[in-house]
Amino acid sequence: MQNDQYPWLAHYPKNISWAETFFGRPLYTLLDDTAAKYPHNIALDFYGKEYTYAKLLEMVNRIARGLQDIGVKKGTRVGMFMPNCPQFVMAYYAILKAGGTVVNFNPLYSKHEIEHQLKDAHVEIMFTVNLRLTYAKLKPFIGVSSLRKIVMCQFQEAMPMARRALFVAAKQKDILNAPKDSYHVALNDLLETTEIGDPPNVLPDSAPAVLQYTGGTTGVPKGAVLTHSNLYINALQCKRWIGADLVEGKETLLAIIPFFHVFAMTVAMNFAIGEGYRIIIHPKFDLKHVLGDIDAKKPTLMPGVSTLYATINNAPTLKKYDLSSLKRCISGGGPLPVEVKDKFEQLTGCILVEGYGLTETSPVVTCNPLYGNNKRGSIGLPLPGTILEVIDKDDKRTPLKVGEIGEICIRGPQVMQGYLDKPEETDNVIRNGRLHTGDLGYMDGEGYFFIVDRLKEMLKVSGYNVYPRNVEEEIYSHPAVAECAVIGLEHPTRGQMIKAYLVLKEGKSLTGGELKDFLKTRMPAYSVPHEVEFRAELPKSAIGKILKKELVAEEKAKHG
């Protein structure tokens, strides 16, 4: 192992071993081990109602036995169609302990998206909450697809009594009881069992724990098969990296991003449970609620996406709240603009670092050091046991030299088994033992990696390569800009032209001409957007990532 082959070795954090060998275990043992070590620690906090690790494990064990009683066995696909709540965590670990495979669904999915994923994954049982709008999306598929049973969770029962009463009074028309028929079962019925079943034996390196569907940004969503080992080891890798200078069993994590997303599933749930942290659960992003909880409950960790930190930066009432408890924040799910990072750190005193990962890698593969050399604009160094290479984007084989731009490829124990029932597509992305990410980037002389852009989002303008991320970074440096997105449009003579969408900060003004004049002093003329459109908001995913594909679709519809 040579430093010239892996230059990050000479610049790795001194108390972390990159060469550590990891061994997989069943994913649910994260909770088993923590409950044995910290039984009285608070595991979950939902609007002030708390569950200890001992209580959480007891409920997981009961639900697991209840699931076995209704037919869940090794390999049964069980869906999760619910927002963040304690029942999500309970159901997730119970499915795994019963031998099943978790299939995460976004509760905001359209009917078409639900239908595709149900059919593709052959989901037999689905956990959901007793909210009319959520349940209504699933009802058409009960009994007419592979879906044979719904487990209904009483959302309000996870709240403290006072909050529950207010919720029921306000949402009375929106709350459902589980229908009394063979297709439905109440979560409370599964909890009634007094016997605890033994989990079936699973081979962690081959047994699927989760089918996690890709975002579909480059085609139809595909189910990434993540094994128990993939997810268990990625939680350990995060423990080595994030937890290196934190205190096991003593930290508090604020979970705002949705657990059904792979980033939150690992960093806000599995990693935190493996460390015995207290997890403050938010069912959705509400700025006032987030700032209030940071001020009152003093979380020390908060994973999120760049738009979350940008929103906090621009909160008009920010000075009312004390955010100084935050020690470490991780940004994932998309690029972190340098302007957003710098301002958040200045306002809070917290270290905010950018990490990088994919659905196909469980998901975390790199992160900036949480202490030491934290390079602005970089996605950081490879996590322990992970190898990143920059490969020629055309021949898909040749490793490139330091500083050369190519496709980032990954090898490591967190890389998926493959795409569900799609061997050809699996072979297209996993070649010669490397996962090809579709992201363009480069490695510097110290082993830090930088993402330039998505391979499919690179623009050709008048013969020049233009990377939207670079343009966005410069736009974010303008003091009036809160959010932006840059896309390419077809052009008869230039090949492509650049369009920028902007959301301005409250009370700020800017014209398209003023922005162009600003950018002309900072970048080549061919990189300056040809069109600028101002909006009140940009389309976002459930996790808060700006959805450029929707902007592209709008433009295609507009121009036929």
Side-chain angles (χ1 to χ4, degrees):
M1 192 187 305
Q2 301 295 323
N3 286 1
D4 56 353
Q5 183 182 8
Y6 303 139
W8 57 80
L9 291 175
H11 305 277
Y12 221 63
K14 289 185 169 42
N15 59 343
I16 303 174
S17 170
W18 174 80
E20 180 174 357
T21 300
F22 294 96
F23 299 97
R25 295 178 65 200
L27 183 56
Y28 58 77
T29 60
L30 287 172
L31 176 58
D32 289 351
D33 293 348
T34 296
K37 198 171 184 179
Y38 303 110
H40 305 300
N41 272 22
I42 300 300
L44 309 176
D45 176 338
F46 192 62
Y47 291 108
K49 183 170 181 178
E50 298 175 339
Y51 301 79
T52 65
Y53 274 99
K55 183 64 176 177
L56 175 60
L57 178 60
E58 177 192 341
M59 298 179 83
V60 164
N61 286 338
R62 290 181 182 278
I63 297 168
R65 176 55 191 264
L67 287 173
Q68 290 172 334
D69 290 343
I70 62 172
V72 173
K73 54 187 182 297
K74 194 183 296 187
T76 302
R77 276 79 178 269
V78 183
M80 303 278 285
F81 192 78
M82 53 206 301
N84 283 7
C85 55
Q87 294 99 321
F88 187 107
V89 182
M90 296 170 194
Y92 178 93
Y93 280 94
I95 293 165
L96 298 173
K97 208 159 199 180
T101 300
V102 172
V103 185
N104 281 319
F105 285 72
N106 181 344
L108 300 179
Y109 271 168
S110 66
K111 179 181 177 181
H112 172 74
E113 289 169 316
I114 295 168
E115 185 175 27
H116 164 74
Q117 196 163 308
L118 281 172
K119 183 178 180 180
D120 194 68
H122 306 289
V123 173
E124 296 183 38
I125 296 171
M126 183 79 80
F127 278 83
T128 193
V129 289
N130 62 326
L131 301 178
R132 192 177 300 276
L133 289 177
T134 304
Y135 173 76
K137 292 183 175 184
L138 296 177
K139 188 176 179 181
F141 303 107
I142 302 171
V144 297
S145 64
S146 58
L147 187 60
R148 61 180 176 83
K149 201 171 288 290
I150 296 282
V151 180
M152 191 81 85
C153 305
Q154 300 292 312
F155 187 69
Q156 73 276 13
E157 287 188 3
M159 302 176 182
M161 290 301 296
R163 178 86 191 198
R164 184 188 309 179
L166 291 172
F167 179 83
V168 171
K171 303 286 186 181
Q172 192 169 11
K173 293 181 180 179
D174 300 325
I175 297 174
L176 295 171
N177 292 317
K180 304 288 186 181
D181 60 34
S182 61
Y183 293 117
H184 297 80
V185 61
L187 179 68
N188 289 339
D189 293 339
L190 299 183
L191 283 164
E192 284 182 358
T193 182
T194 57
E195 299 179 18
I196 304 301
D198 293 326
N201 291 325
V202 297
L203 298 174
D205 292 345
S206 58
V210 174
L211 296 181
Q212 189 73 28
Y213 277 75
T214 61
T217 55
T218 56
V220 176
K222 301 177 285 291
V225 180
L226 303 179
T227 66
H228 282 263
S229 287
N230 289 153
L231 291 161
Y232 179 85
I233 290 173
N234 202 225
L236 290 188
Q237 291 171 313
C238 291
K239 171 187 173 75
R240 300 292 186 269
W241 196 266
I242 304 170
D245 66 336
L246 299 172
V247 183
E248 183 180 293
K250 297 292 185 182
E251 308 293 343
T252 297
L253 183 145
L254 185 58
I256 305 164
I257 48 179
F259 293 142
F260 62 76
H261 189 279
V262 68
F263 175 36
M265 178 179 67
T266 289
V267 179
M269 186 172 68
N270 290 337
F271 154 69
I273 283 175
E275 288 292 271
Y277 294 165
R278 176 189 182 199
I279 305 173
I280 303 171
I281 298 176
H282 282 218
K284 62 179 182 178
F285 175 70
D286 177 277
L287 181 60
K288 185 177 180 181
H289 187 196
V290 169
L291 295 176
D293 265 4
I294 297 174
D295 183 81
K297 297 185 177 181
K298 308 300 181 189
T300 51
L301 295 165
M302 185 176 68
V305 294
S306 62
T307 52
L308 165 67
Y309 302 114
T311 301
I312 291 175
N313 287 348
N314 298 315
T317 59
L318 191 63
K319 291 182 180 179
K320 291 172 51 179
Y321 301 95
D322 177 10
L323 309 185
S324 63
S325 67
L326 291 172
K327 299 178 185 176
R328 304 287 183 266
C329 288
I330 314 292
S331 181
L336 172 66
V338 171
E339 173 73 17
V340 173
K341 168 185 165 60
D342 290 348
K343 186 172 181 181
F344 185 82
E345 291 182 333
Q346 177 188 349
L347 290 170
T348 64
C350 171
I351 295 174
L352 171 59
V353 298
E354 181 173 357
Y356 169 73
L358 302 92
T359 301
E360 293 88 344
T361 56
S362 307
V364 191
V365 293
T366 72
C367 193
N368 261 284
L370 289 150
Y371 49 92
N373 192 4
N374 172 4
K375 290 194 179 183
R376 298 158 75 248
S378 168
I379 58 169
L381 301 167
L383 261 58
T386 306
I387 297 171
L388 264 69
E389 298 170 285
V390 180
I391 301 298
D392 186 288
K393 65 182 176 62
D394 297 317
D395 73 17
K396 302 288 186 181
R397 291 190 305 272
T398 306
L400 300 182
K401 296 176 182 177
V402 166
E404 294 183 330
I405 294 175
E407 184 179 11
I408 291 180
C409 296
I410 301 163
R411 287 182 280 162
Q414 68 271 56
V415 173
M416 68 172 181
Q417 197 175 67
Y419 293 123
L420 179 67
D421 299 329
K422 291 180 171 58
E424 288 186 12
E425 296 197 43
T426 298
D427 290 343
N428 282 338
V429 298
I430 301 179
R431 303 181 181 192
N432 301 314
R434 301 181 181 113
L435 177 77
H436 288 252
T437 67
D439 287 321
L440 287 171
Y442 64 93
M443 177 180 66
D444 72 9
E446 296 183 340
Y448 283 75
F449 284 81
F450 294 77
I451 297 289
V452 175
D453 227 314
R454 289 288 298 171
L455 183 58
K456 293 189 176 182
E457 289 181 3
M458 184 186 77
L459 308 180
K460 275 284 189 182
V461 180
S462 300
Y464 294 98
N465 291 346
V466 175
Y467 302 105
R469 176 170 178 169
N470 291 351
V471 181
E472 288 163 358
E473 284 283 358
E474 297 297 347
I475 293 174
Y476 269 112
S477 69
H478 193 288
V481 175
E483 293 179 355
C484 74
V486 169
I487 65 169
L489 305 177
E490 298 305 313
H491 190 274
T493 59
R494 297 190 184 106
Q496 287 180 294
M497 59 177 286
I498 306 167
K499 182 165 183 178
Y501 298 82
L502 274 66
V503 176
L504 298 182
K505 295 176 182 176
E506 187 174 346
K508 299 290 186 179
S509 63
L510 182 67
T511 67
E514 289 169 341
L515 177 69
K516 290 179 183 180
D517 289 341
F518 172 81
L519 294 175
K520 285 174 184 175
T521 66
R522 309 171 73 91
M523 61 172 58
Y526 61 79
S527 294
V528 175
H530 304 92
E531 288 187 17
V532 179
E533 182 176 325
F534 296 91
R535 294 196 171 192
E537 59 182 7
L538 296 175
K540 296 187 180 76
S541 69
I543 197 174
K545 183 179 180 179
I546 295 171
L547 295 174
K548 292 186 183 181
K549 65 178 181 178
E550 292 196 9
L551 297 172
V552 171
E554 283 182 29
E555 292 293 337
K556 286 184 178 179
K558 189 188 304 181
H559 299 290

